[in-house]
Amino acid sequence: MIKKIIPVCEPFLGGSEKKYVLDALETGWISSSGKYIKEFENAFSKYCGVRHGIAVTNGTVALHLALVSLGVGNGDEVIIPNFTMIATAFAVCYTGAKPVFVDADKDTWNIDVSKIEEKITERTKVILPVHIYGNPCDMDEINKIANKYNLKVLEDAAEAHGAEYKGKKCGALGNIAAFSFYANKIVTTGEGGMVITNNDELAEKCRYYKNLCFPLIGERIYKHDDIGFNYRMSNLHAAIGLAQTEKIEKYIERRIRNNKLYRKFLSDIPGIIFPKQRNYVKNVYWMNGIIIDKDKLGMSRDELMIKLKKDGIETRPFFIGMNKQKSLLKYGVDCDGEFPVSDWLADNGLYLPSGSNLTEEDINFICSKIKDLIT
Ligand SMILES: Cc1ncc(COP(=O)(O)O)c(C=O)c1O
C-alpha cells in the first residue's frame, strides 16, 4: 500500500485559474502588460479595503519596494520583529538601512509592542510589524507609537491574507503593506507579491520604481532619472491571482476550520501550546503553529517532528530569530542583545499541516497520530 503523505501546505487551485491562464496564453498577453494585472491589483486591494494595489514578483521585493517608496535608505533604521522570516530583514538591508530587532510576545508570537519604544533612535524611519502565521499584530499600539515619533508603518502581511484587526483587514492598518503570493500562501500566484496602500503618492512611487523608473506618463523614452527595479509581475501570474482572489473567503474558512479542529483535538494535551486567541482579531491561521513543552509532553519538538515524518506527516520548525542570522552580520547589522521569547519559539515551535485543501479526515489522522505517539 502506498503510504499517505500529508504535506505542510499545498496550493489549492480551486477556481478559474486554468481558464484565465489559457485566456492570457491564447491572446498572447503573457508579459506584465496584460489585463489580468490591473484586474488582480483591483480585486485584491479592494478586498483588503485599500485603494491601490501594485503587483510585483514576490513578497520580498514587495517589502523592498514599499521601503523605497517611503524613502528609506542609507543611515536609516527600521524596527522589525526578531521572530520573522529572513525576507523582512533582507528587504531592509537592500535599501542600505539597518533592521533593529524587537523580541516577540509570548502569547501572540508577534512583535512585543511594549519593547518597541526603547529601540527608537533619531535614525528610526519605519516600524515594520509582521502578522506572524496570519495572526494580526496590535496595530493600535503600533500606530500610536509611530504617530508619537513621526514614523511610518509598513505591514508585512505576507502571511495574513484576509486577517482582521478590530474589523479592518491586515494591509489596511498602516501607511503601506506588502503581501506574498508564494505557493503556500492563502492566495497564491506560485511566486508573486503585492504592495497595497491608500496613499496616492506612495502608490505612484511604487509603480515608478517597480518598472525601472521609466517615466509614468508620456512616451516610453529611455531616460531614467532614478534608480529603479524590474519587479513587474507577469499577466500569467496575475491570471492565477485573480482566480485565487475570487475564492479567498473559502480558503480562509478552510484555514480557520483547520485550526478549530486542531484545537479541539490537541489543546487539552499538556505540553502543546497554541497562540492565545484575542476576541478583537480574526486570525486566518495561515499556519497552525504549536509550541512543545518537552517536560510536559515527554518529547521534544524535534523528536515529535521526526516521528510524525515517519508516519507521513510533514511539519516545519519555527523561524530562527534574526539575531542568529550570520547573513545579517555581513550587512553590518547589530545582532547583539537578548531575545528570550524568540529563542523559546525557535527551539520549541513547529507548524502542522495547514493547507486549504486538507480534509477533516486528514486532521483527525494527524491528531490521532500525535496522541498515539505521546501515550
Ligand atoms: C513574513 C514574511 N515576509 C516576507 C516573505 C517573503 O515573501 P516571498 O517568499 O514571496 O518573497 C515571506 C515569505 O514566506 C514571509 O513569510
Side-chain angles (χ1 to χ4, degrees), residues 253-267:
E253 253 174 49
R254 294 286 197 98
R255 303 301 250 238
I256 293 174
R257 190 259 347 238
N258 291 346
N259 180 263
K260 281 202 175 118
L261 291 170
Y262 278 129
R263 282 186 191 262
K264 181 171 150 200
F265 294 121
L266 301 178
S267 60

Side-chain angles (χ1 to χ4, degrees), residues 71-96:
V72 173
N74 277 330
D76 295 332
E77 291 177 357
V78 176
I79 298 210
I80 71 166
N82 191 56
F83 183 69
T84 184
M85 196 258 193
I86 192 72
T88 319
F90 274 168
V92 176
C93 295
Y94 299 158
T95 68

Side-chain angles (χ1 to χ4, degrees), residues 12-17 186-187 241-253:
F12 190 174
L13 304 168
S16 303
E17 289 84 357
I186 295 179
V187 163
L242 178 65
Q244 288 269 297
T245 306
E246 289 168 354
K247 295 272 181 192
I248 187 169
E249 283 305 341
K250 178 178 163 188
Y251 300 150
I252 290 170
E253 253 174 49

Side-chain angles (χ1 to χ4, degrees), residues 57-63 84-88 130-133 156-159 178-182 184-185 190-193 286 319:
T57 45
N58 57 62
T60 308
V61 304
L63 285 166
T84 184
M85 196 258 193
I86 192 72
T88 319
V130 183
H131 307 297
I132 295 285
Y133 303 144
D156 183 341
E159 305 176 355
F179 285 86
S180 163
F181 302 123
Y182 180 63
N184 62 11
K185 297 303 187 297
E191 298 281 357
W286 168 63
F319 302 131

Side-chain angles (χ1 to χ4, degrees), residues 160-212:
H161 308 183
E164 290 176 17
Y165 175 80
K166 298 188 178 172
K168 251 177 128 178
K169 294 258 181 334
C170 286
L173 301 162
N175 299 94
I176 190 163
F179 285 86
S180 163
F181 302 123
Y182 180 63
N184 62 11
K185 297 303 187 297
I186 295 179
V187 163
T188 182
T189 57
E191 298 281 357
M194 199 180 289
V195 177
I196 68 169
T197 180
N198 267 323
N199 183 304
D200 298 346
E201 204 182 312
L202 291 179
E204 188 164 278
K205 281 188 182 163
C206 287
R207 294 193 193 289
Y208 177 59
Y209 285 105
K210 102 167 196 189
N211 189 21
L212 300 164

Side-chain angles (χ1 to χ4, degrees), residues 80-84 86 89 99-104 119 319-329 333-344 346:
I80 71 166
N82 191 56
F83 183 69
T84 184
I86 192 72
V100 173
F101 313 135
V102 172
D103 202 4
K119 297 289 177 102
F319 302 131
I320 295 173
M322 294 303 102
N323 64 314
K324 300 266 170 76
Q325 306 291 350
K326 280 193 188 153
S327 52
L328 297 178
L329 293 173
V333 174
D334 178 2
C335 290
D336 290 343
E338 300 294 313
F339 299 90
V341 181
S342 306
D343 292 343
W344 172 70

